[in-house]
Structures are given as structure tokens and as C-alpha cells.
Amino acid sequence: DAGVIQSPRHEVTEMGQEVTLRCKPISGHNSLFWYRQTMMRGLELLIYFNNNVPIDDSGMPEDRFSAKMPNASFSTLKIQPSEPRDSAVYFCASSLGTGRLEAFFGQGTRLTVV
Amino acid sequence: KQEVTQIPAALSVPEGENLVLNCSFTDSAIYNLQWFRQDPGKGLTSLLLIQSSQREQTSGRLNASLDKSSGRSTLYIAASQPGDSATYLCAVSNTDKLIFGTGTRLQVFP
């Protein structure tokens, strides 16, 4: 298996633009997680899905952030409009089940909003 | 609210040393604890997963222990090598989510 695949690897955008990050989980995994990593706050869970259904989005910082999982093999994290403070590395992870099982991470998307 | 702390924040050691990284958590009602490695600019690589019913797990030169009642885990790295240089993160799961510590940045010099 190719592991968790994220795209793009790097994204530079201007403030106010819409940004869409993509994730393909490991085939057969039922849970998908979106994390954000910054120097100041470390790794923060934004939202997670179980069987394509959003379970907990309490970590989503603002209404500018939204996430979808239209099917078991694809998820998106959208920021609209983007702001400089959104600059971070965004990780997607998947696991066979919920937090009881091992999680596998993608390589991340480094987002820079200028 | 679960909080995870890792000590030390940074560690620099000569090659060949055995070393211990520490992780503590405030809520002992966990499902499991996972240790990850992160290289600069890269994603997280899972190293070891310890279920709440287990006391330790081993993989090669790595050994992780778990004392759930005291809210502690240690990652032991034997005979450290320069290739072990990375940031090591522990994460606990006590709901459906992984909660991460801030990591220990390890440098092993030749």
C-alpha cells in the first residue's frame, strides 16, 4: 500500500484565497483525521471522520475551515478565505478504527499564506 | 482534558549512548499510547503502539514501556546512532482521538 497520500505537498497562496487540501487514506481504513502542526501549538486535531461521517469537529478553529469526506477513499480540508495565521503543516492520518488502533500519517501539506 | 507532556524538549548525545525519552499524561483512562518519529520537513512515522493492557513493546533497538496508573511512558533507544536524530512524539488515545505531546528533539552526533 502507498500509505496515506496528501496533495499538494506545498501550497503558497495569497490572503483571502480559497485553499483546498486533499487526502487519500489507506485502503480499508475506516477513520480519517486532519491535524495541523505549528511551532507554537504543536500537533492539533482539527476534525476526524469515522466511516465517512464527521464525528468531532471541535478542533476546527473557525467557520473558515470546513472538511468533507464524500467517500471512503477521499477527504478534503478547505479554508475560505485563507489568512496568514493559517500557515502551518496540515497532516492527514488514517486508521483501521477509531483511537484504539494504530494511526498512519501522510507526508503533510505545507501551507503558506502571504 | 487530557494533557501530554514530553521531557526533555531537546537532547543531544554522542553516538552509542543508551537514552530514555519520557512522556506523561494526565488522564490514565487511555486506549493506547503511540510513539512516533518525525524527521525535519517530513510526516510522522509510527514506531511503537502500546495497548492499555500492555506494559511494553519492543522493535529492534527501541523499547517503549507504559505505566498507565502513573500516567507515564518511556521510550528507550539502545546504542543510539546519528540516523536516530529526529523529533520523537508520543500520543495517547482516550476517546477516538490521538492527543500529542510537544515532542523531544533528539540529536545524535558522531
Side-chain angles (χ1 to χ4, degrees):
Chain A
D1 197 312
V4 177
I5 299 173
Q6 292 186 245
S7 64
R9 291 294 310 277
H10 301 275
E11 176 82 31
V12 180
T13 190
E14 292 185 347
M15 182 174 64
Q17 296 297 306
E18 176 179 297
V19 176
T20 299
L21 311 181
R22 297 172 175 80
C23 175
K24 176 178 168 53
I26 292 173
S27 177
H29 281 193
N30 298 325
S31 294
L32 182 141
F33 307 83
W34 282 101
Y35 285 86
R36 178 172 67 176
Q37 187 177 38
T38 61
M39 287 292 292
M40 291 296 295
R41 300 174 69 91
L43 269 162
E44 303 173 282
L45 178 66
L46 300 177
I47 184 171
Y48 74 95
F49 297 82
N50 192 34
N51 293 321
N52 311 339
V53 176
I55 303 299
D56 185 345
D57 64 355
S58 60
M60 297 285 260
E62 299 173 34
D63 291 345
R64 299 183 295 105
F65 286 70
S66 63
K68 294 182 179 180
M69 192 165 186
N71 56 63
S73 59
F74 184 66
S75 177
T76 60
L77 178 67
K78 185 176 294 186
I79 308 172
Q80 166 64 19
S82 58
E83 297 182 3
R85 59 195 169 113
D86 302 330
S87 298
V89 181
Y90 291 81
F91 287 103
C92 175
S94 71
S95 71
L96 276 170
T98 55
R100 298 175 186 267
L101 299 172
E102 190 173 11
F104 296 86
F105 280 71
Q107 291 297 298
T109 295
R110 181 174 296 278
L111 173 65
T112 304
V113 183
V114 297
Chain B
K1 179 186 175 186
Q2 178 74 274
E3 293 184 0
V4 183
T5 305
Q6 290 187 247
I7 295 173
L11 186 62
S12 183
V13 300
E15 182 177 8
E17 275 203 7
N18 301 324
L19 48 97
V20 174
L21 308 182
N22 297 292
C23 172
S24 61
F25 46 95
T26 54
D27 185 349
S28 63
I30 63 171
Y31 293 155
N32 59 49
L33 184 144
Q34 200 166 349
W35 282 93
F36 293 88
R37 168 185 173 139
Q38 185 175 28
D39 293 284
K42 304 290 187 183
L44 280 70
T45 300
S46 178
L47 297 173
L48 290 164
L49 172 72
I50 310 177
Q51 299 290 354
S52 61
S53 59
Q54 297 175 318
R55 297 283 294 184
E56 65 178 338
Q57 281 287 333
T58 298
S59 176
R61 294 182 294 108
L62 305 179
N63 176 276
S65 67
L66 174 64
D67 184 343
K68 203 172 68 162
S69 61
S70 67
R72 293 180 183 176
S73 175
T74 60
L75 178 67
Y76 176 82
I77 303 176
S80 58
Q81 304 171 357
D84 295 330
S85 299
T87 295
Y88 291 80
L89 296 144
C90 72
V92 298
S93 163
N94 62 346
T95 57
D96 292 335
K97 314 185 272 197
L98 276 175
I99 306 298
F100 281 85
T102 50
T104 294
R105 190 170 65 253
L106 172 66
Q107 182 179 12
V108 181
F109 54 90

